[in-house]
Amino acid sequence: MKDAHGRQVTGRVRWRRFAVLSVPGFAVTAALAIALANGALAASFAVSGQQFKVSATSLKGDGFAQYGSIDTNARGDLLPVAVTAIKKAELHNLCQSVVTHLPVVGDISLKLSAGGGGKPVEAKDLFVDATQLSGNAAFNNIEIGRDASTLDKGPDSAQGLQDLFAQQADDVSITDLKQTAWATNAATFKLTGLSMNVSKGKKECF
C-alpha cells in the first residue's frame, strides 16, 4: 500500500480500535475463568461429548434449587445448562440411557434401570446439569426470580452467579419425569435393584 506521496507503507493495526473491540471478549473470558476457579459454574469435571437421557415415574425431593450455569468439555467448549439441585431425593423406576455411534458397528446403547418394585433410588446433594426437562411438577413455598447467588434451600453449594435468575422451594414432586443432561453428580447415590444392559441399536429411556 502507498501513501499520498507514493511511498510504500506497511500494514498497520489500529491498536486503540482493536483494544476497544477486544475488551468485551476478554472480560467475558476472564469472568468465566474466575467463575470456574471459584466453583460457581456447574459440573466440577469436564463433561463428555454426549448427552444422556434420564426418566422416572416419580421424583420427590426436599430442598430444591434451580439456576442457569455452564458446563465445559475437554476441549474447553462452554455448554449452557439448567442446574437442578436437591438436598434429598427419591426416584421411582429410574432409567438412564446413552447412545454411542461407532464406525462400522453403528449405534450402541447403554441403558441402566433401578428403583423399581417400590424401593426408590435415593440420592443426597443431587445435581443434574440438564438441557431439557419435562413432567408434572408441584412445589411448596416456591420462590421464582431469586438471585442465583442467594439460594439457600438446596444443597450448600447450590448457588449460581450474582444477578442471574433462579428459583427454589422447600420441596418438589415431579411425575412422568423426562430430562436430557450433560452431567449428574451426588454426595451419595443408592441404586436399589440396579440393572445395566448394553445392546446394538437405539434403545433409549424415551
PDB file of all heavy atoms in Angstrom, residues 148-185:
ATOM      1  N   ALA A 148     -29.519 -15.886  41.851  1.00  0.00           N
ATOM      2  CA  ALA A 148     -28.907 -17.216  41.950  1.00  0.00           C
ATOM      3  C   ALA A 148     -27.817 -17.309  43.012  1.00  0.00           C
ATOM      4  O   ALA A 148     -27.538 -18.388  43.532  1.00  0.00           O
ATOM      5  CB  ALA A 148     -28.340 -17.624  40.595  1.00  0.00           C
ATOM      6  N   SER A 149     -27.198 -16.179  43.333  1.00  0.00           N
ATOM      7  CA  SER A 149     -26.106 -16.206  44.318  1.00  0.00           C
ATOM      8  C   SER A 149     -26.619 -16.226  45.757  1.00  0.00           C
ATOM      9  O   SER A 149     -25.822 -16.355  46.690  1.00  0.00           O
ATOM     10  CB  SER A 149     -25.192 -14.998  44.124  1.00  0.00           C
ATOM     11  OG  SER A 149     -25.862 -13.788  44.460  1.00  0.00           O
ATOM     12  N   THR A 150     -27.936 -16.108  45.947  1.00  0.00           N
ATOM     13  CA  THR A 150     -28.500 -16.054  47.303  1.00  0.00           C
ATOM     14  C   THR A 150     -29.348 -17.271  47.648  1.00  0.00           C
ATOM     15  O   THR A 150     -30.034 -17.270  48.674  1.00  0.00           O
ATOM     16  CB  THR A 150     -29.364 -14.788  47.482  1.00  0.00           C
ATOM     17  OG1 THR A 150     -30.554 -14.906  46.668  1.00  0.00           O
ATOM     18  CG2 THR A 150     -28.600 -13.528  47.084  1.00  0.00           C
ATOM     19  N   LEU A 151     -29.321 -18.309  46.822  1.00  0.00           N
ATOM     20  CA  LEU A 151     -30.120 -19.507  47.087  1.00  0.00           C
ATOM     21  C   LEU A 151     -29.692 -20.160  48.399  1.00  0.00           C
ATOM     22  O   LEU A 151     -28.494 -20.283  48.689  1.00  0.00           O
ATOM     23  CB  LEU A 151     -29.963 -20.501  45.939  1.00  0.00           C
ATOM     24  CG  LEU A 151     -30.512 -20.051  44.574  1.00  0.00           C
ATOM     25  CD1 LEU A 151     -30.092 -21.026  43.483  1.00  0.00           C
ATOM     26  CD2 LEU A 151     -32.026 -19.912  44.630  1.00  0.00           C
ATOM     27  N   ASP A 152     -30.676 -20.628  49.190  1.00  0.00           N
ATOM     28  CA  ASP A 152     -30.336 -21.223  50.479  1.00  0.00           C
ATOM     29  C   ASP A 152     -31.212 -22.414  50.867  1.00  0.00           C
ATOM     30  O   ASP A 152     -31.143 -22.897  51.995  1.00  0.00           O
ATOM     31  CB  ASP A 152     -30.402 -20.167  51.586  1.00  0.00           C
ATOM     32  CG  ASP A 152     -31.775 -19.492  51.701  1.00  0.00           C
ATOM     33  OD1 ASP A 152     -32.725 -19.956  51.028  1.00  0.00           O
ATOM     34  OD2 ASP A 152     -31.882 -18.506  52.446  1.00  0.00           O
ATOM     35  N   LYS A 153     -32.031 -22.907  49.934  1.00  0.00           N
ATOM     36  CA  LYS A 153     -32.891 -24.048  50.259  1.00  0.00           C
ATOM     37  C   LYS A 153     -32.358 -25.368  49.717  1.00  0.00           C
ATOM     38  O   LYS A 153     -32.734 -26.435  50.201  1.00  0.00           O
ATOM     39  CB  LYS A 153     -34.310 -23.810  49.739  1.00  0.00           C
ATOM     40  CG  LYS A 153     -35.060 -22.715  50.483  1.00  0.00           C
ATOM     41  CD  LYS A 153     -36.519 -22.652  50.079  1.00  0.00           C
ATOM     42  CE  LYS A 153     -37.268 -21.605  50.906  1.00  0.00           C
ATOM     43  NZ  LYS A 153     -38.712 -21.565  50.588  1.00  0.00           N
ATOM     44  N   GLY A 154     -31.502 -25.324  48.707  1.00  0.00           N
ATOM     45  CA  GLY A 154     -30.934 -26.525  48.140  1.00  0.00           C
ATOM     46  C   GLY A 154     -29.678 -26.955  48.882  1.00  0.00           C
ATOM     47  O   GLY A 154     -29.420 -26.500  50.004  1.00  0.00           O
ATOM     48  N   PRO A 155     -28.874 -27.836  48.288  1.00  0.00           N
ATOM     49  CA  PRO A 155     -27.591 -28.217  48.879  1.00  0.00           C
ATOM     50  C   PRO A 155     -26.720 -26.984  49.134  1.00  0.00           C
ATOM     51  O   PRO A 155     -26.906 -25.944  48.503  1.00  0.00           O
ATOM     52  CB  PRO A 155     -26.968 -29.117  47.801  1.00  0.00           C
ATOM     53  CG  PRO A 155     -28.140 -29.670  47.053  1.00  0.00           C
ATOM     54  CD  PRO A 155     -29.155 -28.563  47.038  1.00  0.00           C
ATOM     55  N   ASP A 156     -25.768 -27.109  50.055  1.00  0.00           N
ATOM     56  CA  ASP A 156     -24.959 -25.965  50.477  1.00  0.00           C
ATOM     57  C   ASP A 156     -24.259 -25.255  49.312  1.00  0.00           C
ATOM     58  O   ASP A 156     -24.140 -24.040  49.308  1.00  0.00           O
ATOM     59  CB  ASP A 156     -23.909 -26.415  51.499  1.00  0.00           C
ATOM     60  CG  ASP A 156     -24.543 -26.799  52.831  1.00  0.00           C
ATOM     61  OD1 ASP A 156     -25.691 -26.389  53.073  1.00  0.00           O
ATOM     62  OD2 ASP A 156     -23.886 -27.519  53.610  1.00  0.00           O
ATOM     63  N   SER A 157     -23.794 -26.009  48.321  1.00  0.00           N
ATOM     64  CA  SER A 157     -23.057 -25.403  47.203  1.00  0.00           C
ATOM     65  C   SER A 157     -23.944 -25.053  46.017  1.00  0.00           C
ATOM     66  O   SER A 157     -23.440 -24.685  44.955  1.00  0.00           O
ATOM     67  CB  SER A 157     -21.941 -26.350  46.739  1.00  0.00           C
ATOM     68  OG  SER A 157     -22.490 -27.592  46.322  1.00  0.00           O
ATOM     69  N   ALA A 158     -25.264 -25.158  46.195  1.00  0.00           N
ATOM     70  CA  ALA A 158     -26.195 -24.906  45.091  1.00  0.00           C
ATOM     71  C   ALA A 158     -26.476 -23.414  44.953  1.00  0.00           C
ATOM     72  O   ALA A 158     -27.527 -22.918  45.376  1.00  0.00           O
ATOM     73  CB  ALA A 158     -27.483 -25.681  45.290  1.00  0.00           C
ATOM     74  N   GLN A 159     -25.540 -22.707  44.354  1.00  0.00           N
ATOM     75  CA  GLN A 159     -25.683 -21.279  44.085  1.00  0.00           C
ATOM     76  C   GLN A 159     -25.046 -20.955  42.737  1.00  0.00           C
ATOM     77  O   GLN A 159     -24.034 -21.554  42.369  1.00  0.00           O
ATOM     78  CB  GLN A 159     -25.020 -20.437  45.179  1.00  0.00           C
ATOM     79  CG  GLN A 159     -25.719 -20.506  46.520  1.00  0.00           C
ATOM     80  CD  GLN A 159     -25.095 -19.593  47.551  1.00  0.00           C
ATOM     81  OE1 GLN A 159     -23.935 -19.221  47.442  1.00  0.00           O
ATOM     82  NE2 GLN A 159     -25.868 -19.208  48.554  1.00  0.00           N
ATOM     83  N   GLY A 160     -25.654 -20.007  42.024  1.00  0.00           N
ATOM     84  CA  GLY A 160     -25.127 -19.588  40.737  1.00  0.00           C
ATOM     85  C   GLY A 160     -24.458 -18.233  40.827  1.00  0.00           C
ATOM     86  O   GLY A 160     -24.102 -17.760  41.913  1.00  0.00           O
ATOM     87  N   LEU A 161     -24.302 -17.584  39.679  1.00  0.00           N
ATOM     88  CA  LEU A 161     -23.640 -16.292  39.618  1.00  0.00           C
ATOM     89  C   LEU A 161     -24.597 -15.168  40.029  1.00  0.00           C
ATOM     90  O   LEU A 161     -25.807 -15.251  39.814  1.00  0.00           O
ATOM     91  CB  LEU A 161     -23.130 -16.033  38.199  1.00  0.00           C
ATOM     92  CG  LEU A 161     -22.038 -16.980  37.702  1.00  0.00           C
ATOM     93  CD1 LEU A 161     -21.720 -16.689  36.244  1.00  0.00           C
ATOM     94  CD2 LEU A 161     -20.784 -16.855  38.548  1.00  0.00           C
ATOM     95  N   GLN A 162     -24.053 -14.131  40.589  1.00  0.00           N
ATOM     96  CA  GLN A 162     -24.855 -12.986  41.035  1.00  0.00           C
ATOM     97  C   GLN A 162     -25.606 -12.367  39.865  1.00  0.00           C
ATOM     98  O   GLN A 162     -25.094 -12.286  38.755  1.00  0.00           O
ATOM     99  CB  GLN A 162     -23.945 -11.939  41.685  1.00  0.00           C
ATOM    100  CG  GLN A 162     -24.702 -10.768  42.298  1.00  0.00           C
ATOM    101  CD  GLN A 162     -23.774  -9.817  43.037  1.00  0.00           C
ATOM    102  OE1 GLN A 162     -22.643 -10.154  43.323  1.00  0.00           O
ATOM    103  NE2 GLN A 162     -24.263  -8.628  43.333  1.00  0.00           N
ATOM    104  N   ASP A 163     -26.844 -11.941  40.113  1.00  0.00           N
ATOM    105  CA  ASP A 163     -27.739 -11.278  39.165  1.00  0.00           C
ATOM    106  C   ASP A 163     -28.440 -12.243  38.210  1.00  0.00           C
ATOM    107  O   ASP A 163     -29.319 -11.823  37.452  1.00  0.00           O
ATOM    108  CB  ASP A 163     -27.014 -10.206  38.331  1.00  0.00           C
ATOM    109  CG  ASP A 163     -26.503  -9.057  39.179  1.00  0.00           C
ATOM    110  OD1 ASP A 163     -27.136  -8.764  40.206  1.00  0.00           O
ATOM    111  OD2 ASP A 163     -25.479  -8.453  38.816  1.00  0.00           O
ATOM    112  N   LEU A 164     -28.092 -13.532  38.226  1.00  0.00           N
ATOM    113  CA  LEU A 164     -28.755 -14.479  37.340  1.00  0.00           C
ATOM    114  C   LEU A 164     -30.050 -14.994  37.970  1.00  0.00           C
ATOM    115  O   LEU A 164     -30.172 -15.116  39.184  1.00  0.00           O
ATOM    116  CB  LEU A 164     -27.840 -15.658  37.020  1.00  0.00           C
ATOM    117  CG  LEU A 164     -26.620 -15.365  36.155  1.00  0.00           C
ATOM    118  CD1 LEU A 164     -25.945 -16.672  35.741  1.00  0.00           C
ATOM    119  CD2 LEU A 164     -27.002 -14.557  34.917  1.00  0.00           C
ATOM    120  N   PHE A 165     -31.009 -15.331  37.109  1.00  0.00           N
ATOM    121  CA  PHE A 165     -32.322 -15.832  37.524  1.00  0.00           C
ATOM    122  C   PHE A 165     -32.199 -17.204  38.179  1.00  0.00           C
ATOM    123  O   PHE A 165     -31.408 -18.056  37.748  1.00  0.00           O
ATOM    124  CB  PHE A 165     -33.228 -15.937  36.296  1.00  0.00           C
ATOM    125  CG  PHE A 165     -34.563 -16.579  36.554  1.00  0.00           C
ATOM    126  CD1 PHE A 165     -35.662 -15.812  36.895  1.00  0.00           C
ATOM    127  CD2 PHE A 165     -34.714 -17.957  36.453  1.00  0.00           C
ATOM    128  CE1 PHE A 165     -36.902 -16.408  37.130  1.00  0.00           C
ATOM    129  CE2 PHE A 165     -35.941 -18.560  36.684  1.00  0.00           C
ATOM    130  CZ  PHE A 165     -37.037 -17.776  37.027  1.00  0.00           C
ATOM    131  N   ALA A 166     -33.007 -17.440  39.211  1.00  0.00           N
ATOM    132  CA  ALA A 166     -33.048 -18.746  39.861  1.00  0.00           C
ATOM    133  C   ALA A 166     -34.390 -18.924  40.553  1.00  0.00           C
ATOM    134  O   ALA A 166     -35.175 -17.977  40.688  1.00  0.00           O
ATOM    135  CB  ALA A 166     -31.909 -18.878  40.868  1.00  0.00           C
ATOM    136  N   GLN A 167     -34.650 -20.138  40.989  1.00  0.00           N
ATOM    137  CA  GLN A 167     -35.844 -20.418  41.767  1.00  0.00           C
ATOM    138  C   GLN A 167     -35.524 -21.509  42.781  1.00  0.00           C
ATOM    139  O   GLN A 167     -34.592 -22.298  42.588  1.00  0.00           O
ATOM    140  CB  GLN A 167     -37.012 -20.829  40.884  1.00  0.00           C
ATOM    141  CG  GLN A 167     -36.757 -22.025  39.980  1.00  0.00           C
ATOM    142  CD  GLN A 167     -37.918 -22.272  39.031  1.00  0.00           C
ATOM    143  OE1 GLN A 167     -38.933 -21.583  39.037  1.00  0.00           O
ATOM    144  NE2 GLN A 167     -37.788 -23.292  38.212  1.00  0.00           N
ATOM    145  N   GLN A 168     -36.298 -21.535  43.878  1.00  0.00           N
ATOM    146  CA  GLN A 168     -36.087 -22.548  44.899  1.00  0.00           C
ATOM    147  C   GLN A 168     -37.396 -22.815  45.629  1.00  0.00           C
ATOM    148  O   GLN A 168     -38.344 -22.027  45.570  1.00  0.00           O
ATOM    149  CB  GLN A 168     -34.999 -22.119  45.880  1.00  0.00           C
ATOM    150  CG  GLN A 168     -35.324 -20.889  46.709  1.00  0.00           C
ATOM    151  CD  GLN A 168     -34.233 -20.589  47.738  1.00  0.00           C
ATOM    152  OE1 GLN A 168     -33.174 -21.214  47.788  1.00  0.00           O
ATOM    153  NE2 GLN A 168     -34.496 -19.607  48.595  1.00  0.00           N
ATOM    154  N   ALA A 169     -37.432 -23.970  46.316  1.00  0.00           N
ATOM    155  CA  ALA A 169     -38.639 -24.353  47.050  1.00  0.00           C
ATOM    156  C   ALA A 169     -38.263 -25.276  48.196  1.00  0.00           C
ATOM    157  O   ALA A 169     -37.190 -25.902  48.184  1.00  0.00           O
ATOM    158  CB  ALA A 169     -39.631 -25.039  46.112  1.00  0.00           C
ATOM    159  N   ASP A 170     -39.179 -25.364  49.179  1.00  0.00           N
ATOM    160  CA  ASP A 170     -38.938 -26.283  50.301  1.00  0.00           C
ATOM    161  C   ASP A 170     -38.863 -27.724  49.809  1.00  0.00           C
ATOM    162  O   ASP A 170     -38.027 -28.506  50.267  1.00  0.00           O
ATOM    163  CB  ASP A 170     -40.059 -26.157  51.341  1.00  0.00           C
ATOM    164  CG  ASP A 170     -39.995 -24.848  52.109  1.00  0.00           C
ATOM    165  OD1 ASP A 170     -38.956 -24.167  52.045  1.00  0.00           O
ATOM    166  OD2 ASP A 170     -40.993 -24.517  52.779  1.00  0.00           O
ATOM    167  N   ASP A 171     -39.756 -28.082  48.893  1.00  0.00           N
ATOM    168  CA  ASP A 171     -39.740 -29.436  48.342  1.00  0.00           C
ATOM    169  C   ASP A 171     -40.365 -29.443  46.954  1.00  0.00           C
ATOM    170  O   ASP A 171     -41.023 -28.484  46.547  1.00  0.00           O
ATOM    171  CB  ASP A 171     -40.452 -30.428  49.269  1.00  0.00           C
ATOM    172  CG  ASP A 171     -41.890 -30.029  49.561  1.00  0.00           C
ATOM    173  OD1 ASP A 171     -42.721 -30.098  48.644  1.00  0.00           O
ATOM    174  OD2 ASP A 171     -42.182 -29.644  50.704  1.00  0.00           O
ATOM    175  N   VAL A 172     -40.140 -30.526  46.225  1.00  0.00           N
ATOM    176  CA  VAL A 172     -40.636 -30.665  44.857  1.00  0.00           C
ATOM    177  C   VAL A 172     -41.127 -32.090  44.642  1.00  0.00           C
ATOM    178  O   VAL A 172     -40.574 -33.047  45.213  1.00  0.00           O
ATOM    179  CB  VAL A 172     -39.537 -30.322  43.821  1.00  0.00           C
ATOM    180  CG1 VAL A 172     -38.323 -31.240  43.989  1.00  0.00           C
ATOM    181  CG2 VAL A 172     -40.072 -30.400  42.401  1.00  0.00           C
ATOM    182  N   SER A 173     -42.168 -32.230  43.851  1.00  0.00           N
ATOM    183  CA  SER A 173     -42.673 -33.542  43.446  1.00  0.00           C
ATOM    184  C   SER A 173     -42.917 -33.508  41.944  1.00  0.00           C
ATOM    185  O   SER A 173     -43.625 -32.620  41.446  1.00  0.00           O
ATOM    186  CB  SER A 173     -43.973 -33.869  44.194  1.00  0.00           C
ATOM    187  OG  SER A 173     -44.508 -35.101  43.741  1.00  0.00           O
ATOM    188  N   ILE A 174     -42.314 -34.440  41.214  1.00  0.00           N
ATOM    189  CA  ILE A 174     -42.451 -34.488  39.753  1.00  0.00           C
ATOM    190  C   ILE A 174     -42.856 -35.894  39.341  1.00  0.00           C
ATOM    191  O   ILE A 174     -42.233 -36.877  39.754  1.00  0.00           O
ATOM    192  CB  ILE A 174     -41.131 -34.108  39.040  1.00  0.00           C
ATOM    193  CG1 ILE A 174     -40.631 -32.737  39.498  1.00  0.00           C
ATOM    194  CG2 ILE A 174     -41.320 -34.125  37.523  1.00  0.00           C
ATOM    195  CD1 ILE A 174     -39.278 -32.355  38.911  1.00  0.00           C
ATOM    196  N   THR A 175     -43.893 -36.008  38.543  1.00  0.00           N
ATOM    197  CA  THR A 175     -44.279 -37.287  37.965  1.00  0.00           C
ATOM    198  C   THR A 175     -44.008 -37.264  36.463  1.00  0.00           C
ATOM    199  O   THR A 175     -43.968 -36.210  35.841  1.00  0.00           O
ATOM    200  CB  THR A 175     -45.763 -37.587  38.212  1.00  0.00           C
ATOM    201  OG1 THR A 175     -46.572 -36.543  37.646  1.00  0.00           O
ATOM    202  CG2 THR A 175     -46.044 -37.685  39.706  1.00  0.00           C
ATOM    203  N   ASP A 176     -43.810 -38.466  35.901  1.00  0.00           N
ATOM    204  CA  ASP A 176     -43.501 -38.615  34.471  1.00  0.00           C
ATOM    205  C   ASP A 176     -42.299 -37.743  34.089  1.00  0.00           C
ATOM    206  O   ASP A 176     -42.329 -37.006  33.101  1.00  0.00           O
ATOM    207  CB  ASP A 176     -44.721 -38.249  33.622  1.00  0.00           C
ATOM    208  CG  ASP A 176     -44.581 -38.714  32.168  1.00  0.00           C
ATOM    209  OD1 ASP A 176     -43.796 -39.638  31.920  1.00  0.00           O
ATOM    210  OD2 ASP A 176     -45.235 -38.114  31.299  1.00  0.00           O
ATOM    211  N   LEU A 177     -41.245 -37.835  34.875  1.00  0.00           N
ATOM    212  CA  LEU A 177     -40.040 -37.032  34.659  1.00  0.00           C
ATOM    213  C   LEU A 177     -39.261 -37.529  33.446  1.00  0.00           C
ATOM    214  O   LEU A 177     -39.001 -38.719  33.299  1.00  0.00           O
ATOM    215  CB  LEU A 177     -39.143 -37.103  35.901  1.00  0.00           C
ATOM    216  CG  LEU A 177     -37.743 -36.500  35.775  1.00  0.00           C
ATOM    217  CD1 LEU A 177     -37.825 -34.990  35.613  1.00  0.00           C
ATOM    218  CD2 LEU A 177     -36.890 -36.874  36.985  1.00  0.00           C
ATOM    219  N   LYS A 178     -38.885 -36.587  32.591  1.00  0.00           N
ATOM    220  CA  LYS A 178     -38.015 -36.863  31.438  1.00  0.00           C
ATOM    221  C   LYS A 178     -37.031 -35.707  31.304  1.00  0.00           C
ATOM    222  O   LYS A 178     -37.447 -34.546  31.301  1.00  0.00           O
ATOM    223  CB  LYS A 178     -38.822 -37.000  30.147  1.00  0.00           C
ATOM    224  CG  LYS A 178     -39.760 -38.195  30.095  1.00  0.00           C
ATOM    225  CD  LYS A 178     -40.483 -38.244  28.759  1.00  0.00           C
ATOM    226  CE  LYS A 178     -41.370 -39.489  28.629  1.00  0.00           C
ATOM    227  NZ  LYS A 178     -42.509 -39.440  29.575  1.00  0.00           N
ATOM    228  N   GLN A 179     -35.736 -36.017  31.222  1.00  0.00           N
ATOM    229  CA  GLN A 179     -34.760 -34.951  31.066  1.00  0.00           C
ATOM    230  C   GLN A 179     -33.548 -35.441  30.275  1.00  0.00           C
ATOM    231  O   GLN A 179     -33.229 -36.631  30.257  1.00  0.00           O
ATOM    232  CB  GLN A 179     -34.325 -34.390  32.422  1.00  0.00           C
ATOM    233  CG  GLN A 179     -33.663 -35.366  33.348  1.00  0.00           C
ATOM    234  CD  GLN A 179     -33.366 -34.739  34.711  1.00  0.00           C
ATOM    235  OE1 GLN A 179     -33.650 -33.577  34.977  1.00  0.00           O
ATOM    236  NE2 GLN A 179     -32.784 -35.522  35.598  1.00  0.00           N
ATOM    237  N   THR A 180     -32.911 -34.477  29.629  1.00  0.00           N
ATOM    238  CA  THR A 180     -31.685 -34.717  28.886  1.00  0.00           C
ATOM    239  C   THR A 180     -30.593 -33.896  29.546  1.00  0.00           C
ATOM    240  O   THR A 180     -30.809 -32.712  29.833  1.00  0.00           O
ATOM    241  CB  THR A 180     -31.840 -34.306  27.416  1.00  0.00           C
ATOM    242  OG1 THR A 180     -32.971 -34.984  26.848  1.00  0.00           O
ATOM    243  CG2 THR A 180     -30.588 -34.667  26.618  1.00  0.00           C
ATOM    244  N   ALA A 181     -29.438 -34.506  29.812  1.00  0.00           N
ATOM    245  CA  ALA A 181     -28.433 -33.838  30.632  1.00  0.00           C
ATOM    246  C   ALA A 181     -27.018 -34.097  30.124  1.00  0.00           C
ATOM    247  O   ALA A 181     -26.747 -35.073  29.420  1.00  0.00           O
ATOM    248  CB  ALA A 181     -28.552 -34.301  32.080  1.00  0.00           C
ATOM    249  N   TRP A 182     -26.124 -33.183  30.530  1.00  0.00           N
ATOM    250  CA  TRP A 182     -24.689 -33.354  30.287  1.00  0.00           C
ATOM    251  C   TRP A 182     -24.019 -34.063  31.457  1.00  0.00           C
ATOM    252  O   TRP A 182     -23.029 -34.775  31.274  1.00  0.00           O
ATOM    253  CB  TRP A 182     -24.010 -31.998  30.083  1.00  0.00           C
ATOM    254  CG  TRP A 182     -24.226 -31.349  28.761  1.00  0.00           C
ATOM    255  CD1 TRP A 182     -24.943 -30.216  28.502  1.00  0.00           C
ATOM    256  CD2 TRP A 182     -23.706 -31.768  27.491  1.00  0.00           C
ATOM    257  NE1 TRP A 182     -24.912 -29.912  27.158  1.00  0.00           N
ATOM    258  CE2 TRP A 182     -24.168 -30.848  26.517  1.00  0.00           C
ATOM    259  CE3 TRP A 182     -22.918 -32.840  27.086  1.00  0.00           C
ATOM    260  CZ2 TRP A 182     -23.832 -30.955  25.166  1.00  0.00           C
ATOM    261  CZ3 TRP A 182     -22.581 -32.961  25.733  1.00  0.00           C
ATOM    262  CH2 TRP A 182     -23.045 -32.026  24.795  1.00  0.00           C
ATOM    263  N   ALA A 183     -24.522 -33.835  32.681  1.00  0.00           N
ATOM    264  CA  ALA A 183     -23.835 -34.381  33.855  1.00  0.00           C
ATOM    265  C   ALA A 183     -24.789 -34.533  35.022  1.00  0.00           C
ATOM    266  O   ALA A 183     -25.771 -33.802  35.149  1.00  0.00           O
ATOM    267  CB  ALA A 183     -22.674 -33.467  34.252  1.00  0.00           C
ATOM    268  N   THR A 184     -24.473 -35.505  35.885  1.00  0.00           N
ATOM    269  CA  THR A 184     -25.153 -35.679  37.170  1.00  0.00           C
ATOM    270  C   THR A 184     -24.091 -36.017  38.214  1.00  0.00           C
ATOM    271  O   THR A 184     -23.186 -36.807  37.937  1.00  0.00           O
ATOM    272  CB  THR A 184     -26.177 -36.833  37.116  1.00  0.00           C
ATOM    273  OG1 THR A 184     -27.229 -36.504  36.206  1.00  0.00           O
ATOM    274  CG2 THR A 184     -26.783 -37.091  38.482  1.00  0.00           C
ATOM    275  N   ASN A 185     -24.190 -35.402  39.374  1.00  0.00           N
ATOM    276  CA  ASN A 185     -23.317 -35.808  40.474  1.00  0.00           C
ATOM    277  C   ASN A 185     -24.070 -35.688  41.788  1.00  0.00           C
ATOM    278  O   ASN A 185     -25.028 -34.915  41.908  1.00  0.00           O
ATOM    279  CB  ASN A 185     -22.012 -34.999  40.501  1.00  0.00           C
ATOM    280  CG  ASN A 185     -22.236 -33.523  40.677  1.00  0.00           C
ATOM    281  OD1 ASN A 185     -22.669 -32.830  39.763  1.00  0.00           O
ATOM    282  ND2 ASN A 185     -21.937 -33.015  41.861  1.00  0.00           N
TER     283      ASN A 185
END
